Amino acid sequence: MFKRHKSLASERKRALLSQRATRFILKDDMRNFHFLSKLVLSAGPLRPTPAVKHSKTTHFEIEIFDAQTRKQICILDKVTQSSTIHDVKQKFHKACACFPFALHHDCKFPEASPAMQNCPKWYPSRVGLQLECGGPFLKDYITIQSIAASSIVTLYATDLGQQVSWTTVFLAEYTGPLLIYLLFYLRIPCIYDGKESARRLRHPVVHLACFCHCIHYIRYLLETLFVHKVSAGHTPLKNLIMSCAFYWGFTSWIAYYINHPLYTPPSFGNRQITVSAINFLICEAGNHFINVMLSHPNHTGNNACFPSPNYNPFTWMFFLVSCPNYTYEIGSWISFTVMTQTLPVGIFTLLMSIQMSLWAQKKHKIYLRKFNSYIHRKSAMIPFIL
């Protein structure tokens, strides 16, 4: 009996202790909840996070400075997002043309701007625009929205000098050699001795060389007019002068030796001439077909994709090199050198080979970087070598 009462008393003590512990926990929870409620009420009502609003600028203001003097020339207002650098140049030219007789409604001029005294030089093809002095010139197709960090865009204008179109450059480069060679072929008395020219008959290779030379530059002219998609851009006049001096000068030197009355025919006779002439015509045909292929979209309909060879055997050179047009071009001049066997043609061929190899390697690197599926085992210009 004593043990039973003792166990009942211990159970009652445990029950009382558990009830006290429960009350203590509830009171503690109530205190925590009361503290949390006060904290929330003191913080005020919950507010939603404001959404970030992106500014949508519909018009830009363009400040144009002189790149040399760092002085402001004018400010162009109301330039739209879709406007390109070419549009800005046109707008800038219009603003300069109307100063100081009438101010354009979309432009502002700083007072006593010394740069505006030379306004006639700022026509579109002559001006170069930069984001910072010494930086690269912006392409005409770049939009203002792509370079604008705010509603105000600062550009620096540079005078690029007298400009000519690329079509003019190519036509001048190729027309000159065609006419110059024909003048030497006719053996004008002011160039050669008339008695010596009448006494010595021309070797057949002289006539063949004139035919091949004319075919080469006539093809160049026709492709410039009807095949190549020449850039609408411009280049400084000095580049035209340098190119014409190079082509015209070498043509005069080459034509003088080949059409000279004392010209010596090739060492191996007709066999050397025939093989070289056939190879020259093959390279000319291959060069033409490659240029036609490069000027048109390939089978994917995308001009940016690297062209793939087709059923034309002349285009199979694409399997081996990246720039088969340069390969055929060098092949033509090597054939012409062997056919005429003259030193001036050999020097011209060497210089052209060096220049075209540099162009080919540059294009080859672009193809490797731009096209993931490009065949890395290809050479740039000469199969398995270069």
Side-chain angles (χ1 to χ4, degrees), residues 31-43:
R31 289 174 184 173
N32 292 337
F33 178 74
H34 185 66
F35 177 76
L36 182 62
S37 300
K38 285 184 176 182
L39 182 63
V40 172
L41 291 175
S42 63

Side-chain angles (χ1 to χ4, degrees), residues 66 92 96 99 113-123 159:
D66 192 322
F92 180 51
C96 291
F99 182 86
S113 175
M116 294 307 298
Q117 297 176 2
N118 298 323
C119 273
K121 70 180 181 181
W122 300 111
Y123 60 87
D159 183 16

Side-chain angles (χ1 to χ4, degrees), residues 82 111 216:
S82 58
E111 296 181 1
H216 180 76

Side-chain angles (χ1 to χ4, degrees), residues 5 8 52 69 74 81 114 179 197 256 279 304 338:
H5 285 293
L8 289 174
V52 179
T69 63
C74 71
Q81 293 179 345
L179 299 178
S197 300
Y256 177 81
N279 191 62
V338 175

Side-chain angles (χ1 to χ4, degrees), residues 74-213:
C74 71
I75 300 174
L76 303 179
D77 289 336
K78 300 179 182 179
V79 179
T80 60
Q81 293 179 345
S82 58
S83 297
T84 61
I85 295 296
H86 179 71
D87 298 331
V88 173
K89 291 180 180 180
Q90 295 283 352
K91 204 177 185 71
F92 180 51
H93 171 62
K94 189 181 294 185
C96 291
C98 70
F99 182 86
F101 304 103
L103 294 180
H104 196 263
H105 68 282
D106 286 342
C107 64
K108 303 174 185 177
F109 298 95
E111 296 181 1
S113 175
M116 294 307 298
Q117 297 176 2
N118 298 323
C119 273
K121 70 180 181 181
W122 300 111
Y123 60 87
S125 62
R126 187 166 178 168
V127 66
L129 295 178
Q130 305 162 289
L131 283 174
E132 57 184 8
C133 292
F137 292 107
L138 300 174
K139 302 294 183 182
D140 286 347
Y141 58 81
I142 295 178
T143 60
I144 297 299
Q145 187 179 13
S146 63
I147 62 173
S150 63
S151 60
I152 300 177
V153 180
T154 302
L155 297 178
Y156 295 89
T158 302
D159 183 16
L160 300 177
Q162 187 72 27
Q163 301 288 302
V164 292
S165 65
W166 281 108
T167 303
T168 303
V169 173
F170 294 141
L171 292 178
E173 283 181 358
Y174 306 146
T175 304
L178 178 63
L179 299 178
I180 290 172
Y181 196 97
L182 290 176
L183 290 176
F184 282 90
Y185 176 74
L186 296 175
R187 288 185 177 179
I188 300 176
C190 63
I191 300 177
Y192 302 111
D193 184 11
K195 294 181 179 180
E196 191 72 20
S197 300
R199 187 173 62 87
R200 288 180 175 271
L201 297 177
R202 304 186 189 188
H203 194 274
V205 70
V206 176
H207 304 290
L208 184 59
C210 181
F211 171 77
C212 292
H213 192 273

